[in-house]
Every structure is written in structure tokens, then in C-alpha cells.
Amino acid sequence: MTQEPTEKLSNVQIAWRAAQDIADGAYVNLGIGFPEMVARFQPEGRAAVFHSENGILGFGKAPSEGQEDWDLINAGKKAVTLNPGAAFFHHADSFAMVRGGHLDVAILGAYEVAQTGDLANWSTGPTGVPAVGGAMDLVHGAKRVAVITEHVTKKGQPKLVERCSLPLTGVGCVTRVYTSLAVVDIEEGRFVLREKLPAISFDDLQSLTGATLHCPGPVADLIVPEL
Amino acid sequence: MTQEPTEKLSNVQIAWRAAQDIADGAYVNLGIGFPEMVARFQPEGRAAVFHSENGILGFGKAPSEGQEDWDLINAGKKAVTLNPGAAFFHHADSFAMVRGGHLDVAILGAYEVAQTGDLANWSTGPTGVPAVGGAMDLVHGAKRVAVITEHVTKKGQPKLVERCSLPLTGVGCVTRVYTSLAVVDIEEGRFVLREKLPAISFDDLQSLTGATLHCPGPVADLIVPEL
Amino acid sequence: MDKTLPSPADAVAGIADGATVMVGGFGGSGAPIELIHALIDRFLATGSPGNLTVINNNAGNGQVGIAALIAQGMVGKIICSYPRSTNSRAFIEKYQAGEIALELVPQGTLAERIRAAGAGIPAFFTPTAYGTELAEGKQIQEFEGRPYVMERWLKADVALIKAELGDRMGNLTYRMTARNFAPIMAMAAAHTIAQVSRLVAPGEIDPEAVITPGIFVDALVEVAEPAQEEALNRAEVHYP
Amino acid sequence: MDKTLPSPADAVAGIADGATVMVGGFGGSGAPIELIHALIDRFLATGSPGNLTVINNNAGNGQVGIAALIAQGMVGKIICSYPRSTNSRAFIEKYQAGEIALELVPQGTLAERIRAAGAGIPAFFTPTAYGTELAEGKQIQEFEGRPYVMERWLKADVALIKAELGDRMGNLTYRMTARNFAPIMAMAAAHTIAQVSRLVAPGEIDPEAVITPGIFVDALVEVAEPAQEEALNRAEVHYP
């Protein structure tokens, strides 16, 4: 296996890239942790509306320290604020929004993504305490389910694979993957490369990927500002 | 068939009798039309909370003429008022209350009631325009489903029968019937006579009833004030 | 984000022939009269949209709103619980002439089917209608010894609803029992159009008081002092 | 009608050994801390109730609320979506020692199963968990070419919830995201107990603003200035 190139996007840069594809006025759910960063990079002039599983639509930035109200939190249990036009609702209504296909985009983390769109992001296997949260609902709800992830694991193993080896979160649900090296769509059961870092060759990228990367169209340079 | 006795309860008197069995604080749905009269006769010191399918809990009396607000109506499309502690909700929540077994009592009219508890009250057959409203939901929701009805049809036919001949509203759902002549419970697939007008003999009552009336316990006099 | 449109005519301009249209309201309360009449105006001017499937609790009353839509011959099918009203002559005439189809659904099942569509639940089980002719041909399953009927979600292309306050993000409140089917229809339709009695700025509706969050609303138009179906019918108004 | 009780101790007095108890709250918001602690007090004084099945989104945090209930050994089983939190040591220790059972349910399925119980829907179909180990052994059915998993309602003997305003008829409002599971749990439990931050007279809550109508609430107790789980945990409070 090729060693991962030293040049790669940082997590904030991956989040920045994912944010560029969110339209003005889109309804968006960001997974807990790394995906939450995407909210920081909404392009000028666009305002997405952020949904949180625990019953908010239209939450805003974190309050300054000491200003937290712990009855105003997001699904990651972090204190948030409200933007004008926000609304509260109960958990069944919140997941009606998710499952009913009302969200435009959900952006989640991943352990593995398969070329079929299968996602594994909730369990690393039978040891430890399992916890699933809302991930299995989100992958079947949003019109577009995107993943942001390192291209390979810390041990250098591909995270984009032919078939997931870890317990699945959902079957055939992911449509786009933003990695530290590339932007890859999932179409008709295959990975379609859309963008890659200029510094990495196609062959090196392919060798870091666990399934064939297809290029039916042009592959753009993945260019992200320093952040 | 025996002729119906000239002495019988009027509709308001049947409604009065039914009202005596409603506990203080009970949540009650009254069917459109005749059953709506039951609300007028809550015994002194008791206050039921009335539910309307179109999204009110705790509605009160009709407003005086000219004071109607046509955005504040009950399921019978009649203008109502609100009692303190009322609440509005949407139709799915309203029928969650019904179907979820949260109502204590539903009181409905009937074309026929069978000794099995089957009810027919929505359709007189294949001619005309069918309309069902909320009746099929109500019979499966309330903890107690009672019927108020004339004991026989205008043509003198029994309305309490072995088996309904008209299209069913629900199967095995009615638990008590208040008629113009008697109070009859439905227990284990049979009619159990609880009260009858003193002026009518058991035999005459039986002859006006389409199935056997059982008397496992005492039969009280059905005594209702002039109204 | 601004979902407001200048007029009811703009709001209903995209509704296609053959569309399935949910219409809010129960009896005389909550009917989006101005939206429905804009649809009739469009039909009179252009001959479209026709052959609509209308989903409402009733089948119209008097000679305004849904009744007027039916009288114009714009409706091919009604899905409702209670088509027989004090004055549902428009429907009854077409029905008896075989010119309109009827799918009769118990009221609670109608509400739950609509809610299920909005919530991504393709089917559910209900005790309602078990053993009756309205359950004929439907899948029956026992749970805990009791039989239930499987019912399917009910989706629509468009929902036309009437709300009280609305902001340009689509957040809505309702007025008393005018709420009825509107919040669930807003969830169930691919394109939800709300007429609001007053347009306010985002933030003016308390986030705790929002009944329909904007995510369920695609377009809204302010109709100040909207007509009330019951009042129109008591005044024996005909439309057009 | 007066559903109020004088104290949390009175409110929880009837909860039996082996009961299934829904507890409102998500993360640190909405947990009915005083009701849970009253239950612990009762257990410490009487040895009862034990062997509870607790339904909540999480499995407790820190050393208060549900975590304290677990630490006391009062909980035999947890049904939740996310038992792994920053500080869910109480649960994790019991779980790894095999002293507590876990039923893991996706969060939206958990919410919908609870809502279904309240709405009289014994089963429904959802796309969630299809093809995963959490759907193993469940009935699968295709609708419109897509496979769905059948899920069952989830009922409880008791619900313990925290609300903001309440009146003696049981009408409730909530405070921001403290709403979360409380309204649906109130619907799904045979006996719903609410602690309210302020008790008001019937009519003081606008009928449009009632989130949980009183029909879903059996008992309520005023707890002015209630504890906030997150704040307790940040202060590293232990209970008792």
C-alpha cells in the first residue's frame, strides 16, 4: 500500500470543501463532532438552516463561554444559540423531518464507505458499548447524504472500500464523499472521482482507495484555502 | 312484534341518563348530533373535558347567536367556546388521543348494535353517498364506548340485534347501550339488562329486542327526570 | 431565504393537470379560500389544471372553495372521510353522475396516513376499520392478540393550507381549530403553499410557538383578512 | 380536576418493582432530576422500586439522575439510542459486568416507537436500520420497490418528564430543547408524572401554546428552580 502523501487536507479544510456544496437556504444536519465544523464555512451570501435531532431548526453559533443555557443544546450536547426564524419541536417531529426526506443534506463521519453507498460509522465491532444515536435515521432521510472523512485510516488502510467490513449504518445511502485527498461521488454502485488534490497522482490516489475510482468525466483540482 | 310502549324516554332523557355515568374529570368524545346533548347534563360538581376530533380538548357551551367565531367549531361544525385549560392540536395528534386509548368515554349514535358489541352507525347500505367521519376511529379508541339510541327503529324494528345487518363501524367495541327503554351492557357476547323503565315488563322489552336479554343480576328501575 | 410570493395566482401557477392536492380545512374552518379561488381563476383562463385528486376531510360545502372547484369540473377524485355535508351538492351531483371518484377513509386513518407520508413511514397498522368494508383487501396482522389493518402513507404533489402568522422562512402558526389538517398536510406534500393572514419577520414568531416549522413550507403568500368558508356559505356566496 | 401532588416523593410513590419507566431528557437537558432523585430516596428507604426498565435517549451521565439510578442498582435494563457519553461510567460499569441489559434502538426509531404507542399504532415500517444488525430478526417488507423494517410500539408503565409551565389539568409547555422526548413519552405511558417549574391556573397557558394537552398527564408536581443535569455534572455533584 502506498504511503499517504504528506500533503493532505486538514479536517477543517475537508469541512470547508463540503460547505461549498451547500446551497443558500438548504436544510442541513451535521453529524456530531468533525461534521459540525462544516457550519463554520458557509460561503458568503448563503445561509443554510441547521437541524438538530433534539428538536431545533435554525440554531446558530455557540454562545460565548459563561453564556451557555444548557436547555439550548444541539445533538452533540453542545450549547448553541438561535438564529431568527428558529423553531423547537419534539423528537418524533424532529425525526419526521429526517425520515420524511425533508432535509436537503446530511453530512456524517465514516469508518468506511463502500462503492455501493453503504456506510459504516456507528460500531467498530462487538467489543465496547454500542451506541448508534440518530445516524441510522439520517442516512435514510436526507435528499443527499455526504460523508467527510480522512481518505485512509490512521494505520493507512483505505476507508473507501468495495464492501464494508464493519457493521453497517445504512445500505446504499451515501452519494458523495469528501476526503482529505479527493471528492468522490457514488453513482450506480461505483466511485466516481470528481476532484483530487493536484499534488497526488491518480495512481497514488487509486492505491489508497479500496475500490476502483472511475473517471467518466473531467477530474478537477481540489483546491482549498489555508484555514 | 310488540308495539313500542307509548311511555319511553325522549332523546334528551336518554342523553341525561348517559351523562350520569360520566365521572368528574373524564375525557369524553360525543358523536355528532344526538350524542352532543349529553354535555348538557353533567351532574352537579362534575366536569368532564370534551374532546373534538378537529383538534380541541376542553371546549365549552355554544356561544350566543351572533357571537360565533367560525374558526372555533367542533366536529359537528357547530360554533363552541373554550373552557379554561383548553388546548388546540392538529388532526394526527387528535386521533392519537382517540386511537391511543386516552379518552375515557365515547358516546355514539347507532343504527344497530349487536350482542357481540358490533356497531353499525355509518352507512345504511350501498345507495347514497357514503360518509364515515371519525366513527370507526372512536369505536377503537375510547376505554368505554357507549351508544345512545331509540330502542327500536321508527318502523318498530329492534336496533339491539344478534348480528348487524348494516355495514359495520366496528367489531366488538360497544360496552353499554342507553336506549329509550333500558340500559343494557354488553358482556361476553351477550346483552345484560341493567335498568328498564318501570312501566315496561321484561317480556315486552325482550320482544322489542333482537337478541336475548340476560339478567345475571338485579334490574334497576330506569328513572329519569322530566326534561 | 424568502419563500414569499406576491399573490395567490403566483402561488398556484405551477400546479399541474392531474396533480394530487391536499387542501387544509375541516368544515368551514381552515379552508385556504383565496388559494383555491386562484386555482379556479387559472382554470377559467387557461383550462388548467384539471383532473385533480383532492384530499380533504370533506368534499366541499356550498358554492365556494372545494365545492366551487368541483362544480368547475376540475376534480377527478376526492379522498376524504366525510363527503356528505349540509350543503355538499356540488360533490353529490358529480358523484351520482359518475363524474367524480371517491376514496372514503376514516378520519383518523386519513390523518395518520398523511402524517405517515410526512414522516417517511410507508405503512402502519391501525385497529380502525378492522372487520368493516373499508378494510376489505387490506393486509391484516395480529399484535398482542388483536387484529389490525395495514394502511399506507398518503402523499401529495401540493398542499394548499391557511395559516395565521407566517414568516418568509415558512414558519407558521394557526388560528384555533383552523389548524386541523394543515400541519400534517404541510409535511406530506412535495410542495406546500400557505396563505397567511399576516406576514411577520423571522424571529417574530416565538420559536416555542411555531406549529409548522419552515422546512415543511415551500411558498407563502399574505392574504390579509382572508375569507372564511362558513361565513361565505352563510352569505350564500357563489364563486366565481 | 386537580392532578397536582405536593412533592416528588408523592409523585413517584406508586412506581412498582419491575416497572418500565420512560424518562424525558436528551443529554443534559430535560431530565426530571427531582423526580428521579425522589425515586432513589424511596429505594434507599424501602429497597423499592428495583429491576426497572428505563427508556431514555442516553444511559445517564455523571453521578446524578439516571446515572445515579443505575449506580444504585435499580435498573435492570436500558432501552436507548446512545449509552456512550462523555461520562456514562455508571452504565458502562454495570454493562460490562453483565448487570444491566441494553436494547439499542436508533434514535428516530426510538422516538417513533414511543409516539406509536401513544397513538395506538402497534407497528409501523421504517427505512431506518434496514440491512444492519439492528434490524436482524425483524419483519421486512417492500413498498414502492424499497425495503422497510417493521418496528413495534414501545409502551411504558410510567413516564417521568420535566416541563416548564403546567396547570392542574395537566397542560404543559417546555423550555427550548428540554422538550425533546417528553411530549411523546407523556402519550406512551400508562401513568405520566410531570415536574413543572411553575404551576399556573387553567387558562393561563394559551390554548394555542399548549404542547402536551392534559389528557396525557396524570400527575404533576411543582419543582421551582429545578436542577439542570448538565450544570450538576459540571459541578461534579454526586447523588445522593
Side-chain angles (χ1 to χ4, degrees), chain C residues 151-199:
Chain C
E151 295 282 356
R152 296 296 312 281
W153 60 15
L154 185 59
K155 297 187 167 197
D157 300 305
V158 179
L160 303 178
I161 62 172
K162 179 187 189 175
E164 180 67 5
L165 302 182
D167 67 29
R168 62 178 160 73
M169 299 175 77
N171 294 300
L172 303 178
T173 70
Y174 300 92
R175 185 162 185 273
M176 302 196 282
T177 54
R179 187 183 303 189
N180 59 69
F181 282 90
I184 50 176
M185 288 179 168
M187 297 167 66
H191 187 76
T192 293
I193 303 167
Q195 63 169 75
V196 303
S197 301
R198 195 153 67 86
L199 193 64

Side-chain angles (χ1 to χ4, degrees), chain B residues 46-107:
Chain B
R46 292 192 224 161
V49 179
F50 293 102
H51 170 268
S52 187
E53 290 93 314
N54 57 322
I56 329 177
L57 205 58
F59 68 90
K61 294 199 163 75
S64 43
E65 214 177 306
Q67 298 302 304
E68 299 92 349
D69 184 325
W70 296 109
D71 280 344
L72 182 52
I73 59 174
N74 65 13
K77 283 83 173 181
K78 295 187 190 70
V80 295
T81 55
L82 294 181
N83 289 332
F88 295 115
F89 34 84
H90 64 54
H91 245 87
D93 282 349
S94 184
F95 279 89
M97 289 179 196
V98 172
R99 203 189 305 100
H102 303 284
L103 295 174
D104 295 297
V105 191
I107 301 183

Side-chain angles (χ1 to χ4, degrees), chain D residues 24-230:
Chain D
F26 177 95
S29 180
I33 292 291
E34 286 77 7
L35 290 177
I36 300 170
H37 289 180
L39 207 55
I40 293 174
D41 295 346
R42 200 186 122 200
F43 180 77
L44 291 172
T46 70
S48 185
N51 194 28
L52 300 173
T53 294
V54 168
I55 301 169
N56 178 265
N57 187 65
N58 305 102
N61 248 306
Q63 299 177 77
V64 297
I66 290 175
L69 205 67
I70 292 169
Q72 290 296 338
M74 296 169 67
V75 182
K77 182 179 179 183
I78 288 262
I79 302 175
C80 74
S81 89
Y82 210 85
R84 205 169 57 206
S85 303
T86 327
N87 187 357
S88 46
R89 205 178 55 207
F91 169 78
I92 290 172
E93 281 173 5
K94 297 275 183 196
Y95 180 73
Q96 289 177 336
E99 289 167 19
I100 196 165
L102 170 66
E103 180 180 342
L104 193 71
V105 183
Q107 196 173 136
T109 297
L110 182 64
E112 191 66 12
R113 289 178 63 192
I114 294 169
R115 191 258 172 199
I121 303 291
F124 59 90
F125 289 91
T126 174
T128 300
Y130 172 74
T132 77
E133 61 186 59
L134 295 189
E136 277 170 21
K138 293 183 177 167
Q139 189 179 317
I140 305 293
Q141 193 162 334
E142 267 198 25
F143 298 96
E144 296 161 36
R146 199 175 157 191
Y148 293 86
V149 181
M150 191 175 84
E151 294 283 355
R152 296 295 313 280
W153 61 15
L154 185 59
K155 296 187 167 199
D157 299 306
V158 179
L160 303 179
I161 62 173
K162 179 186 189 177
E164 180 67 3
L165 301 183
D167 67 30
R168 61 178 161 73
M169 299 175 77
N171 293 299
L172 304 176
T173 70
Y174 300 92
R175 185 163 185 275
M176 300 195 283
T177 55
R179 187 184 303 189
N180 58 69
F181 282 91
I184 51 175
M185 288 179 168
M187 295 168 66
H191 187 78
T192 293
I193 303 167
Q195 63 170 75
V196 303
S197 301
R198 194 153 68 85
L199 193 64
V200 299
E204 282 193 61
I205 305 175
D206 178 353
E208 305 274 13
V210 170
I211 303 299
T212 293
I215 192 170
F216 297 129
V217 177
D218 299 282
L220 69 170
V221 55
E222 188 180 42
V223 177
E225 297 178 28
Q228 218 289 346
E229 188 184 283
E230 182 74 24

Side-chain angles (χ1 to χ4, degrees), chain C residues 85-106:
Chain C
S85 304
T86 328
N87 187 358
S88 46
R89 204 179 53 206
F91 169 76
I92 290 172
E93 280 172 9
K94 297 274 183 199
Y95 181 72
Q96 290 178 335
E99 289 167 18
I100 195 166
L102 171 66
E103 180 180 342
L104 193 71
V105 183

Side-chain angles (χ1 to χ4, degrees), chain B residues 67-188:
Chain B
Q67 298 302 304
E68 299 92 349
D69 184 325
W70 296 109
D71 280 344
L72 182 52
I73 59 174
N74 65 13
K77 283 83 173 181
K78 295 187 190 70
V80 295
T81 55
L82 294 181
N83 289 332
F88 295 115
F89 34 84
H90 64 54
H91 245 87
D93 282 349
S94 184
F95 279 89
M97 289 179 196
V98 172
R99 203 189 305 100
H102 303 284
L103 295 174
D104 295 297
V105 191
I107 301 183
L108 304 167
Y111 297 145
E112 294 174 320
V113 185
Q115 60 185 356
T116 52
D118 293 1
L119 173 66
N121 81 343
W122 74 281
S123 168
T124 50
T127 58
V129 177
V132 66
M136 285 192 185
D137 305 282
L138 282 164
V139 297
H140 287 293
K143 295 184 185 93
R144 201 159 70 76
V145 175
V147 156
I148 56 177
T149 180
E150 290 281 332
H151 202 87
V152 297
T153 67
K154 282 181 186 143
K155 291 182 178 164
Q157 298 297 313
K159 299 184 75 166
L160 280 66
V161 296
E162 280 192 8
R163 210 169 299 113
C164 293
S165 61
L166 292 170
L168 292 184
T169 306
V171 173
C173 50
V174 178
T175 53
R176 175 165 270 205
V177 187
Y178 303 94
T179 80
S180 46
L181 302 176
V183 176
V184 177
D185 281 344
I186 293 172
E187 290 179 357
E188 294 163 8

